[in-house]
Amino acid sequence: SILLANGLHALLIADPTENEQATNVKQRNDNALTTSSDIDDESDEDDDNGCSKSETSTHSEDDYGSGNSANEPTSFVQAEGENSLALDVRTGASSGFEKNSLYTLFSVSIVMTDHGLDHVEQILRAVYALVRLLKREGPVEWIYNELQGLEATSFRFRKEKEASDNVEELVVNMRYYPPKDIITGSELYFRYDPDEIQKVIDNLNEPRFNIMISSTKSYRNVMYERTERWFDTQYTAIEIPAEWRRLWEISEPMPEIQLQQKNEYISTNFTIIADENNMQHIPPYPEKIFANDICELWFRQDAKFRLPSALMYFYIISPLPFNDARSSALVGFFASMVKFQIAEELYPAEVAGLNYELYSAEKGLLFKVDGYNEKLPIIVDQITATMGRFTEIFSEKVFDVIKVKLEKAYYNELMKPNKLNRDARLKVVQQNHWTTWEKFEHLKKITPDDVRQFACSFFREIKIHALVQGNTHEETAKSVMQKVLRNLRGGSIADMKSIESRAKEIPLGDSYLRIQNFRKADVNSVTTTFYQAGPVTPSLNACLELLVSLLEEPLFDILRTKEQLGYDVSTSLRDNFGILGFSITVHSQENKFSFDHIVERIEMFNDYFIKTLHNMKDKDFELVKTSLIHRKQVIDTELKNEASHQFTNALNVYPVTKITFDHVE
């Protein structure tokens, strides 16, 4: 409460030191700087929601003022990113604290690089300059109108919420909005009120804020003399240094930081194409509409969900990451650098409802975009163009930032017993699987020249599996595919056997593999017993799914509830490159139950289950089977779910299934 009083304060927090308790495993995290400013509510008690709130917290025109979104200018993100000071920037009212009659906390949260932690003054100067820019420019009506349109479109086409979430949200809204605005009051912008917006800007320009720095390393030799009681986190609270106060007092707008420009990614055409085609026959599954030595394009127009949205998925396969651990580490590095370099450029696209993903997979890169279909081809073109000219725009500063970030991410993964367990199992079962610890060792040795050379060699031999599905034309899908091919300038794979997926046959009998945690003091254990069945067929797949359904309830009841062997007990169907099996996994603690005891109890449960199955009444067996059939017949309620299933099953792009459309039926 002292820190929330008016005035300038700083709070420095150190991440928890290593704790020997199993539940507190230390991870290596990024540095974070957060400034929180309290905005006084100067209105009367009867109008306790008069001040504007960020994001989508807006109000009706009768009694609740106007709304204003706090999307940070893209130039602010660019200014921090180009100087390698920050990885991410977020602004807005603090979640859950905005509905009160005292004040609203408006926060600017910045994930800093190590370089940024050493130059906090530069970051503060940029934040202060942003606040001064808002004061100089004042309310801008066209920005309000643009945001108002975006929120109206989002509300119009948003997916249906869960009933429980709907009830909870509406009950809360009943406290703050009149009956006619209970549903839309927290979602839509109703009236542009520059006076209300100016009040917020004026409050932000008052010296009423706190600064919090959270880091895994000590900040400038500051002593952390306090310890909070729940996680033993060390921290201290100090007055704002004189230099930082002076920065605030003399701060002025910076030419590098400007208000956002008009968003060119905003869609205006929401025509449903299926309506134009008079409901002509649309196939139930995607069909291949184009293929050559480099790519296969599958397409299906949507007539079921009838929304102005589409999805475009691309799996760019290369022999390099599939056959070499070093290349597998490099493809992840490449994807991270591309995402970092396009983040600023495509921020307006995300605001406009267009989403993208780019990440490494076993055989290469997975690239996915979804959102309103009108402008979707634009971001596909921009991202693949960035990938194609990667060596031209390569930045060693970005390389340094990404390397540190990935080393932390790999390190954190290695500390998790469940991830180590999965890696070890797949290393045994699959012919080509590169573990996190293998890639981590290569990552530490990667140089800028390595990444440059990999970016060139990766596209020399590629195979692209693509799916375009949703509210779009077949001609549009073909056009997008042609642009992707031109941007990547790739060649065909000379030896297709080099990307063939293979699984290893497990010898009959019992085989054991035991690996110690990388963090030796961590007593958490994950025990998996894996049973290999054979090559996938519709019959075997159905039998194993039914087996898993039969196992779930008694397995949890006996091993988790009654014997309390661990906090997580589960069984899963496994498909390794078309070879089926199933597994039983128990998450436990070695100081309570040994690995040998866990394995013994699992095998004893298996004996018990076989006897139970033999004695099961036909009526009970049919009940489980009918329940499974009903679950499998549940239709997809979102285009994204439907497309993801078809991308996985039909195109065989993941090493998890070889089931065709007919087999699915």
Side-chain angles (χ1 to χ4, degrees):
S1 59
I2 297 175
L3 290 172
L4 295 179
N6 287 343
L8 298 169
H9 298 269
L11 175 65
L12 303 176
I13 296 180
D15 272 8
T17 55
E18 289 196 16
N19 194 312
E20 294 304 315
Q21 296 180 5
T23 54
N24 288 333
V25 180
K26 181 184 176 184
Q27 296 186 351
R28 296 166 60 181
N29 300 309
D30 294 308
N31 311 303
L33 181 146
T34 303
T35 64
S36 296
S37 177
D38 56 305
I39 304 173
D40 288 337
D41 190 339
E42 301 172 351
S43 56
D44 295 331
E45 186 177 353
D46 292 337
D47 188 18
D48 62 352
N49 292 278
C51 64
S52 303
K53 300 176 180 66
S54 64
E55 302 301 330
T56 57
S57 183
T58 56
H59 325 287
S60 73
E61 61 180 313
D62 291 340
D63 300 312
Y64 296 85
S66 61
N68 187 33
S69 177
N71 293 296
E72 64 271 13
T74 56
S75 56
F76 181 81
V77 182
Q78 183 181 29
E80 298 299 292
E82 287 180 349
N83 293 310
S84 303
L85 298 176
L87 296 172
D88 192 25
V89 179
R90 290 287 181 267
T91 65
S94 11
S95 177
F97 196 73
E98 66 273 14
K99 290 187 171 62
N100 65 80
S101 58
L102 301 176
Y103 50 77
T104 292
L105 289 181
F106 184 92
S107 65
V108 179
S109 180
I110 301 169
V111 180
M112 299 182 293
T113 62
D114 289 339
H115 182 65
L117 184 63
D118 294 333
H119 297 83
V120 171
E121 289 78 12
Q122 291 186 37
I123 294 177
L124 289 176
R125 189 179 295 114
V127 175
Y128 296 164
L130 172 60
V131 174
R132 296 295 191 245
L133 174 66
L134 294 174
K135 182 177 182 179
R136 186 187 73 185
E137 299 295 330
V140 182
E141 187 170 4
W142 75 260
I143 293 180
Y144 175 89
N145 292 336
E146 187 175 273
L147 296 174
Q148 183 185 45
L150 286 171
E151 295 303 330
T153 300
S154 176
F155 183 76
R156 176 183 174 189
F157 296 114
R158 77 176 183 183
K159 65 180 181 181
E160 185 68 28
K161 296 182 180 179
E162 293 288 336
S164 57
D165 293 335
N166 252 335
V167 169
E168 181 179 342
E169 179 180 313
L170 296 180
V171 165
V172 172
N173 285 353
M174 290 170 66
R175 166 67 178 82
Y176 299 101
Y177 303 104
K180 71 183 185 67
D181 295 319
I182 289 174
I183 294 177
T184 59
S186 61
E187 303 290 339
L188 301 180
Y189 292 10
F190 291 89
R191 175 171 54 89
Y192 175 66
D193 189 336
D195 293 335
E196 284 295 319
I197 297 173
Q198 188 62 51
K199 286 181 183 179
V200 177
I201 294 175
D202 291 342
N203 277 315
L204 288 174
N205 277 271
E206 292 294 325
R208 293 193 296 265
F209 55 84
N210 306 307
I211 299 174
M212 182 175 73
I213 298 175
S214 175
S215 177
T216 54
K217 60 182 182 182
S218 177
Y219 178 72
R220 299 183 182 179
N221 299 318
V222 170
M223 299 298 295
Y224 301 100
E225 77 280 1
R226 304 181 187 181
T227 303
E228 59 85 29
R229 60 182 179 180
W230 291 280
F231 295 100
D232 293 331
T233 301
Q234 294 178 325
Y235 73 99
T236 189
I238 62 175
E239 289 297 318
I240 290 285
E243 181 183 357
W244 295 5
R245 289 175 178 268
R246 183 173 177 276
L247 285 176
W248 170 260
E249 293 166 358
I250 66 173
S251 60
E252 295 291 338
M254 298 168 57
E256 301 91 337
I257 299 177
Q258 300 294 329
L259 291 181
Q260 64 192 57
Q261 302 298 312
K262 288 187 181 296
N263 195 332
E264 298 178 353
Y265 297 93
I266 296 176
S267 297
T268 57
N269 183 356
F270 303 110
T271 303
I272 304 302
I273 295 174
D275 293 340
E276 292 182 335
N277 296 339
N278 297 320
M279 295 300 294
Q280 68 178 18
H281 172 70
I282 295 177
Y285 298 110
E287 294 182 341
K288 189 187 297 185
I289 60 172
F290 177 78
N292 61 19
D293 292 340
I294 300 178
C295 74
E296 291 182 0
L297 173 61
W298 296 68
F299 171 80
R300 180 174 179 264
Q301 188 182 104
D302 174 63
K304 173 182 174 182
F305 299 101
R306 311 183 71 75
L307 293 172
S309 59
L311 305 100
M312 300 180 182
Y313 293 169
F314 305 86
Y315 191 8
I316 307 172
I317 298 172
S318 167
L320 293 178
F322 188 56
N323 293 287
D324 176 60
R326 180 173 174 273
S327 295
S328 183
L330 280 166
V331 75
F333 206 116
F334 172 78
S336 295
M337 287 196 68
V338 171
K339 285 190 292 185
F340 188 90
Q341 289 172 319
I342 63 177
E344 182 269 331
E345 182 181 358
L346 291 184
Y347 173 75
E350 292 187 274
V351 172
L354 307 181
N355 309 299
Y356 64 90
E357 296 178 77
L358 178 65
Y359 53 92
S360 61
E362 294 250 36
K363 297 183 182 181
L365 285 170
L366 269 169
F367 169 42
K368 301 179 178 181
V369 298
D370 65 85
Y372 302 119
N373 55 274
E374 182 186 11
K375 302 294 179 72
L376 213 54
I378 298 176
I379 65 171
V380 173
D381 184 33
Q382 289 178 306
I383 294 174
T384 53
T386 301
M387 293 164 64
R389 57 187 179 91
F390 178 82
T391 55
E392 302 170 20
I393 59 175
F394 184 89
S395 166
E396 293 204 11
K397 284 186 177 180
V398 174
F399 170 88
D400 294 336
V401 170
I402 296 301
K403 187 170 184 179
V404 172
K405 180 180 179 180
L406 288 179
E407 284 181 353
K408 291 178 180 178
Y410 275 111
Y411 180 89
N412 290 341
E413 287 295 291
L414 288 172
M415 295 301 107
K416 299 174 183 177
N418 59 319
K419 301 295 184 181
L420 183 61
N421 175 287
R422 177 183 181 275
D423 259 347
R425 175 175 57 82
L426 294 180
K427 190 68 175 177
V428 170
V429 175
Q430 294 179 184
Q431 183 169 314
N432 294 70
H433 177 75
W434 308 117
T435 62
T436 303
W437 65 82
E438 289 175 305
K439 291 187 285 188
F440 185 44
E441 289 302 314
H442 287 291
L443 177 71
K444 292 185 289 187
K445 304 172 186 176
I446 288 175
T447 66
D449 285 339
D450 293 334
V451 181
R452 287 194 193 96
Q453 292 171 8
F454 177 80
C456 295
S457 58
F458 177 80
F459 294 107
R460 286 176 188 157
E461 293 189 34
I462 58 173
K463 182 73 174 182
I464 303 175
H465 289 284
L467 170 67
V468 176
Q469 187 164 338
N471 189 56
T472 188
H473 293 284
E474 182 176 321
E475 292 74 18
T476 301
K478 291 179 179 178
S479 174
V480 168
M481 191 73 249
Q482 291 301 323
K483 287 182 179 179
V484 170
L485 293 175
R486 284 197 298 270
N487 288 336
L488 299 182
R489 303 189 298 273
S492 60
I493 297 176
D495 181 12
M496 294 301 292
K497 290 185 178 180
S498 64
I499 58 171
E500 283 185 356
S501 304
R502 295 177 180 272
K504 300 175 185 177
E505 184 176 0
I506 304 299
L508 292 175
D510 297 337
S511 301
Y512 295 89
L513 173 63
R514 187 176 186 180
I515 299 177
Q516 187 176 31
N517 287 335
F518 282 98
R519 186 175 180 274
K520 295 181 180 180
D522 184 6
V523 297
N524 287 315
S525 291
V526 181
T527 304
T528 296
T529 56
F530 173 68
Y531 308 92
Q532 197 174 65
V536 61
T537 64
S539 176
L540 179 59
N541 189 85
C543 284
L544 286 174
E545 285 202 62
L546 183 57
L547 174 62
V548 168
S549 295
L550 290 163
L551 280 168
E552 285 174 338
E553 192 278 329
L555 180 73
F556 188 88
D557 179 58
I558 293 176
L559 300 188
R560 171 66 178 88
T561 304
K562 293 179 179 177
E563 298 190 16
Q564 297 185 358
L565 295 183
Y567 54 89
D568 187 3
V569 177
S570 62
T571 179
S572 302
L573 174 69
R574 302 292 184 186
D575 186 334
N576 302 108
F577 296 149
I579 304 300
L580 294 179
F582 77 97
S583 65
I584 294 175
T585 299
V586 176
H587 293 243
S588 61
Q589 292 180 316
E590 195 70 16
N591 58 348
K592 294 182 179 179
F593 297 102
S594 69
F595 153 79
D596 297 305
H597 179 74
I598 298 292
V599 173
E600 179 184 347
R601 299 311 302 169
I602 291 175
E603 292 304 322
M604 291 187 68
F605 169 80
N606 287 341
D607 293 337
Y608 160 81
F609 175 77
I610 291 172
K611 295 176 182 176
T612 302
L613 191 59
H614 281 303
N615 297 327
M616 180 176 285
K617 297 179 181 179
D618 291 344
K619 181 178 67 174
D620 295 334
F621 180 81
E622 289 298 323
L623 185 63
V624 175
K625 189 166 71 172
T626 301
S627 175
L628 176 60
I629 290 172
H630 287 165
R631 290 207 307 269
K632 295 183 74 64
Q633 289 178 330
V634 172
I635 61 174
D636 291 309
T637 57
E638 294 180 39
L639 176 63
K640 192 169 187 177
N641 292 341
E642 181 182 79
S644 295
H645 294 157
Q646 292 173 353
F647 189 57
T648 301
N649 293 332
L651 308 184
N652 189 25
V653 296
Y654 285 126
V656 297
T657 183
K658 288 189 176 181
I659 300 178
T660 65
F661 288 137
D662 292 338
H663 286 184
V664 171
E665 293 291 345

